[in-house]
Amino acid sequence: MPALQRTEAILRASLLDVRSYTIDLDVTRGPDVFGSTTVIRFGCAEPGSDSFVDLEPVELRRAVLNGRPLDPADLDGNRLALPGLAAENELLVEADMRYSRTAEGLHRYTDPADGEVYLYASCAPDLAPKVFACFDQPDLKAPIRLGVTLPQGWKAFANGAPAGPGEEGRREFAETKPISTYLFTVVAGPLHSVAGEHDGIPLGLHARRSLAAELEREADELFEVTRASFDRLHELFEERYPFGEYHQAFMPEFNWGAMENPGCVVFRDEMLFRSTPTDADRESRAMVICHEMAHMWFGDLVTMKWWDDLWLNESFAEMLGYRVAAESTRFTLAWVGFAARRKAWGYDADQRGSTHPVAGNGTRSVAEAVVNFDGISYAKGASVLRQLVAWLGDEAFFAGINAYFARHRYGNAELADFLAALGEASGKDVHGWAEQWLRTSGVDTLRVEVERDGAKVRSVAVVNEGSRPHLVGVGGYAMVEPYLRAWPGAPAVEVPAGGRVLVPALVEDQPELVVPNHGDLTWAKIRLDEASWQVVTESLAQVEDGLTRALLWDHARDLVRDGELAPAEYLRLVERHLGGETVVSTVEAVLAFAVNDVAGRYLAPERRAAGLAVVAGAARSLLFGADVTPNLRQAALRGALESSVGEAELAELQAWLAGDGLPGGVSLSPELRWVALARLAARGRAGEPEFGAELARDPGTEAEVGAARARAARPEPDAKARAWQAMFTDGELSNHLIRATAEGFWRSGAEEQQQEYVRRYFAELLGAARRGDAVVRMLGHFLFPRGYATAETVRLAEECLRADGLTPALRRVIGDELDDLRRAQRVREA
């Protein structure tokens, strides 16, 4: 059956009132299937009506509705008909379910480090029927009581608190508050755990046993951020944390950064940092912890009624994640990381053909909802909310939020409910604001116009070339050796849609550089006047404020993508100014864009090696520079590895792997060793002897993923053939191994051979869609031949999009990649 349609969800919600779920899982039946028994109690508003329950079993053993057996043969795809409902109903479903290898349902993972097995349930957005029978839509919330039969020696954690001490091989959990089915989870296995407590809330951290040392090492910081986040959110919200205990489980092969399951948040276990992290890595993790905790209110306590209001979950959690991290943890530069790294994701998404409004995006089915977990729902939504807070003020904004929680606690809401609460609290025309900001798509541009008489500034104006009003700061900068410093009290101006506003205060200051969106309070691209841009090209590294530098680097990124700045000119900025950058997240973002996009896409193939050489030189200058912090060196080290193509650089990589030549305080962590090996493998300088030695040196998930990437990077035809077969063979690779293999594949190979694989890619991709959205995202995004921005590749992608039977996920990812491919063509032509 197709994914649930909104029209079907509305009808079912009007008919049913779900009272409770009682779920019993048996995970002792071997490596392929598990037992799932569910009892659902629910009311029906129109007795005698028919409905259906969602279920995706290997085998439906028994289904009983109100004492009446149902025929298992009536299961139609993922739906079991429920005929002749009573006013009050009890449904019993017993089924065998299949474990997932792509983190879609109950994921089963065998740790290569020690052979131990771990499980976790990943149910968002419509995967709960792969675990238990349910009415799988967000507005049919109900309490859930869970019991699990476990192998000897296993632990388990879930949404509810443990119900008593339990017994060996069995775990019972207390009934939860009403939650949506997509928020259900259970994690199980021979877990290593660290317990804590804060403000009366029991805390737990959990990971697989082979990561016990990493969990113990990171526990203090994880608890520190968790406690600070609880304290700040309890200051902002009148409603206390509503879900009892708070567990955070770090699990392997997770498809998202984390998932906000109430009471038991699941994170991808790379966040335990087996490799040496930078401060930007720690900052990003802190933001995710704060983000997921904000979801306990936005998404869990009050849940969107349907997926077109996904922003009521993600935009709020994103904004509060950065805000709480910046205000309440040691990661005070979190908003710099947002400007340097996160917003680019949103800007890119908002300029493609698939762009959509932040809210009310017209999602007709759950399948369409999946593709809107994107930079618009997260980064743009968060930025739009910052603009809303700037316009309303904190007091009115949080008064509205608290009224919203009070009215809809443990229930569901939509955009109109949120706007009503804010409008009452602020007295402002929030509905009008929402029409301009939440129900439209695209990025506005704020352009600076400066009239000068020689060196003297005569007037400063900000021109809004878009369709929304913007409340923004306008910063004026002057050189006060050794820095370009902003004049204090940057004026705030409201620039109407399509309007022009003079900023007379800046004329008095006589700035050398004028920056709109000072403080980064809005969602807009910026364009500087010619004199200001000249100052940037000469003195970017001397701008004192790290947030402003991030905005200016992002401005340069926009200019390249829009064909207004030559890729080579961007690389000259990198060569000239990256060495003076002091914020790690900005260094990482600049290097990543320079390697992956400027050199990897926008330069013609014959110029890529020269472009990468510029990046390699800039990264090495920072790596070996005087008075550079270890964090900056670590960020520069990754950039140096990823950009190494010349013979001397490759020889240097081999020396680094042998332990020679790196500056003090920096080392190749296990993950970075595989980055170096993949780079060497692509040039024929590393193969199975080196891979085998590294696997033996440090076995485990990191090595398994690194080896997959490095093997796919080998240039020999048989290496390419093995990698291709593995990616396109159903069930052979997990989602993460598919991604790693895809990341390595296009790094080498004869031109004719690679062109043949480009043609095969589009011919075989449609067949992969039957393997689920996770595989589609991995193959559609990471294996897309983005470096081949030719007319032939564009034609093949266009033909692929015209094919029958494309899933929404496949259509979206290929459409987005095609947009980026065409942009790369335009940049080369410009």
Side-chain angles (χ1 to χ4, degrees):
M1 293 291 291
L4 184 69
Q5 303 295 302
R6 183 176 190 179
T7 52
E8 296 174 312
I10 291 172
L11 178 61
R12 189 162 66 171
S14 69
L15 190 66
L16 305 185
D17 181 8
V18 187
R19 315 280 196 233
S20 67
Y21 288 94
T22 301
I23 303 168
D24 193 279
L25 302 179
D26 182 352
V27 297
T28 64
R29 297 186 183 178
D32 298 319
V33 300
F34 61 96
S36 174
T37 300
T38 307
V39 176
I40 314 175
R41 295 176 177 86
F42 60 101
C44 177
E46 300 177 15
S49 299
D50 301 338
S51 190
F52 62 92
V53 70
D54 305 298
L55 179 67
E56 296 186 44
V58 175
E59 180 180 356
L60 175 56
R61 292 185 173 274
R62 188 162 70 113
V64 180
L65 175 63
N66 299 329
R68 183 177 80 250
L70 302 177
D71 188 349
D74 289 341
L75 180 67
D76 184 5
N78 59 353
R79 296 180 179 183
L80 178 64
L82 303 177
L85 295 174
E88 294 294 330
N89 302 272
E90 180 176 288
L91 174 67
L92 167 69
V93 176
E94 294 179 359
D96 290 343
M97 315 292 276
R98 191 179 307 281
Y99 288 115
S100 170
R101 286 290 286 128
T102 57
E104 296 170 296
L106 190 59
H107 187 71
R108 189 178 193 275
Y109 173 81
T110 302
D111 191 341
D114 55 17
E116 297 285 7
V117 173
Y118 298 88
L119 311 174
Y120 61 90
S122 180
C123 293
D126 63 339
L127 302 171
K130 296 178 180 292
V131 183
F132 62 101
C134 58
F135 301 110
D136 195 27
Q137 58 189 75
D139 57 345
L140 287 177
K141 300 173 80 168
I144 296 176
R145 185 182 298 274
L146 172 67
V148 189
T149 300
L150 302 163
Q152 298 294 309
W154 278 29
K155 299 178 183 178
F157 300 90
N159 304 103
E167 58 187 67
E168 186 68 23
R170 183 69 183 171
R171 197 66 165 167
E172 303 282 346
F173 296 92
E175 186 174 82
T176 69
K177 299 289 187 181
I179 63 174
S180 300
T181 49
Y182 79 89
L183 294 169
F184 170 85
T185 199
V186 60
V187 299
L191 295 158
H192 182 78
S193 302
V194 180
E197 185 274 341
H198 181 64
D199 196 16
I201 303 167
L203 306 177
L205 304 172
H206 314 283
R208 52 196 161 105
R209 191 175 290 169
S210 65
L211 293 179
E214 286 79 7
L215 184 64
E216 292 284 348
R217 184 193 66 220
E218 299 296 321
D220 285 348
E221 182 169 294
L222 293 171
F223 278 140
E224 178 185 339
V225 173
T226 299
R227 290 166 178 144
S229 187
F230 265 128
D231 288 345
R232 183 60 177 138
L233 291 174
H234 282 156
E235 291 171 357
L236 295 172
F237 301 151
E238 294 171 1
E239 178 88 19
R240 275 182 59 83
Y241 169 67
F243 295 108
E245 299 187 358
Y246 195 75
H247 296 275
Q248 296 174 94
F250 296 82
M251 304 305 291
E253 298 187 328
F254 195 50
N255 284 329
W256 312 96
M259 179 62 201
E260 65 270 17
N261 315 301
C264 188
V265 178
V266 174
F267 298 81
R268 61 191 308 159
D269 64 7
E270 288 92 336
M271 291 188 185
L272 291 181
F273 303 138
R274 287 200 69 240
S275 299
T276 305
T278 64
D279 267 354
D281 295 326
R282 294 189 177 279
E283 172 190 284
S284 178
R285 182 178 70 183
M287 186 283 294
V288 174
I289 291 171
C290 298
H291 174 120
E292 301 308 324
M293 192 180 294
H295 269 310
M296 299 299 120
W297 288 263
F298 284 105
D300 296 0
L301 177 68
V302 182
T303 310
M304 78 245 144
K305 189 169 290 187
W306 182 246
W307 298 100
D308 59 346
D309 275 321
L310 175 66
W311 80 289
L312 285 172
N313 286 17
E314 298 304 345
S315 300
F316 286 87
E318 183 88 345
M319 184 272 284
L320 285 167
Y322 279 100
R323 176 168 173 165
V324 171
E327 291 178 352
S328 303
T329 75
R330 71 180 178 89
F331 301 102
T332 57
L333 297 179
W335 283 119
V336 181
F338 179 74
R341 299 195 296 186
R342 197 69 161 178
K343 285 187 80 174
W345 177 38
Y347 283 139
D348 292 357
D350 210 17
Q351 295 175 83
R352 297 187 181 117
S354 60
T355 184
H356 56 84
V358 173
N361 52 41
T363 300
R364 294 168 296 179
S365 71
V366 186
E368 292 179 5
V370 174
V371 302
N372 286 334
F373 283 82
D374 61 10
I376 296 171
S377 296
Y378 286 76
K380 179 180 181 179
S383 192
V384 166
L385 285 173
R386 289 193 85 191
Q387 178 72 180
L388 177 60
V389 174
W391 182 56
L392 293 180
D394 257 17
E395 183 176 351
F397 179 77
F398 284 103
I401 292 301
N402 282 306
Y404 170 79
F405 289 153
R407 291 174 193 172
H408 305 287
R409 64 196 301 268
Y410 301 118
N412 297 84
E414 51 193 350
L415 174 62
D417 301 312
F418 170 73
L419 296 179
L422 278 188
E424 292 169 16
S426 67
K428 290 192 173 184
D429 181 16
V430 181
H431 288 82
W433 180 91
E435 287 299 317
Q436 293 173 308
W437 277 99
L438 300 179
R439 296 194 180 278
T440 60
S441 59
V443 188
D444 292 346
T445 299
L446 300 177
R447 185 180 301 277
V448 171
E449 291 183 351
V450 180
E451 182 183 338
R452 301 176 188 269
D453 183 2
K456 188 172 184 178
V457 174
R458 293 292 187 185
S459 70
V460 176
V462 178
V463 179
N464 182 356
E465 297 179 350
S467 60
R468 310 177 185 101
H470 293 263
L471 179 63
V472 293
V474 185
Y477 290 76
M479 181 63 73
V480 181
E481 291 291 348
Y483 298 114
L484 268 169
R485 285 185 171 154
W487 294 108
V493 298
E494 187 161 353
V495 194
R500 181 177 187 271
V501 173
L502 290 169
V503 192
L506 289 186
V507 177
E508 299 175 14
D509 294 336
Q510 290 294 299
E512 299 171 42
L513 165 67
V514 179
V515 180
N517 197 19
H518 181 83
D520 196 26
L521 293 180
T522 198
W523 180 258
K525 297 194 289 187
I526 64 173
R527 290 296 184 265
L528 307 182
D529 65 287
E530 185 176 346
S532 290
W533 175 247
Q534 186 62 37
V535 171
V536 170
T537 61
E538 294 173 357
S539 307
L540 173 55
Q542 293 172 272
V543 174
E544 185 176 37
D545 178 59
L547 179 57
T548 302
R549 292 197 305 276
L551 290 174
L552 293 172
W553 277 113
D554 211 34
H555 171 49
R557 181 185 188 275
D558 280 335
L559 292 175
V560 174
R561 284 173 44 81
D562 291 346
E564 298 176 37
L565 180 69
E569 290 299 318
Y570 183 89
L571 293 180
R572 274 192 271 276
L573 278 179
V574 173
E575 188 174 39
R576 185 169 184 177
H577 296 296
L578 190 66
E581 182 54 63
T582 59
V583 179
V584 176
S585 57
T586 302
V587 169
E588 291 179 345
V590 170
L591 286 172
F593 180 67
V595 170
N596 298 326
D597 293 275
V598 177
R601 286 177 151 180
Y602 299 147
L603 290 177
E606 64 273 13
R607 299 180 60 197
R608 285 178 185 162
L612 285 171
V614 174
V615 182
R620 281 167 167 78
S621 293
L622 192 57
L623 177 63
F624 292 99
D627 301 322
V628 177
T629 67
N631 268 286
L632 285 168
R633 291 191 199 279
Q634 199 68 37
L637 175 58
R638 179 179 294 277
L641 295 172
E642 293 283 14
S643 57
S644 293
V645 290
E647 291 300 314
E649 294 159 356
L650 295 173
E652 192 173 36
L653 261 59
Q654 291 175 313
W656 292 350
L657 282 166
D660 298 326
L662 282 171
V666 177
S667 62
L668 282 181
S669 61
E671 189 257 340
L672 288 181
R673 291 182 65 84
W674 282 108
V675 172
L677 282 169
R679 180 60 63 182
L680 291 167
R683 296 297 181 270
R685 287 175 169 245
E688 285 304 323
E690 290 79 11
F691 304 158
E694 195 65 27
L695 284 163
R697 179 181 179 274
D698 185 51
T701 305
E702 212 163 46
E704 189 177 49
V705 168
R709 185 183 298 110
R711 285 173 174 139
R714 291 282 296 173
E716 298 85 1
D718 60 340
K720 298 301 181 192
R722 285 193 299 270
W724 193 267
Q725 182 179 0
M727 288 187 289
F728 282 90
T729 300
D730 191 5
E732 182 167 330
L733 297 182
S734 71
N735 48 343
H736 277 216
L737 290 177
I738 291 173
R739 172 176 173 168
T741 305
E743 288 173 335
F745 188 82
W746 299 111
R747 296 189 180 194
S748 67
E751 182 66 23
E752 183 177 344
Q753 171 189 286
Q754 294 293 71
Q755 290 295 339
E756 176 58 28
Y757 277 116
V758 170
R759 290 187 285 271
R760 285 186 62 180
Y761 174 79
F762 291 105
E764 298 177 29
L765 187 60
L766 184 59
R770 61 182 171 79
R771 295 162 59 189
D773 287 343
V775 172
V776 164
R777 286 193 296 270
M778 297 304 168
L779 293 177
H781 179 63
F782 295 103
L783 193 61
F784 190 92
R786 60 184 57 184
Y788 294 86
T790 65
E792 172 72 1
T793 310
V794 169
R795 181 186 65 79
L796 290 168
E798 290 172 342
E799 289 179 357
C800 183
L801 278 177
R802 289 194 293 268
D804 295 331
L806 265 67
T807 64
L810 184 55
R811 183 176 300 279
R812 172 65 182 271
V813 72
I814 296 302
D816 286 353
E817 293 293 345
L818 176 58
D819 272 1
D820 290 350
L821 201 68
R822 289 170 174 153
R823 182 180 289 270
Q825 278 191 304
R826 291 194 298 270
V827 170
R828 290 186 193 179
E829 291 167 1

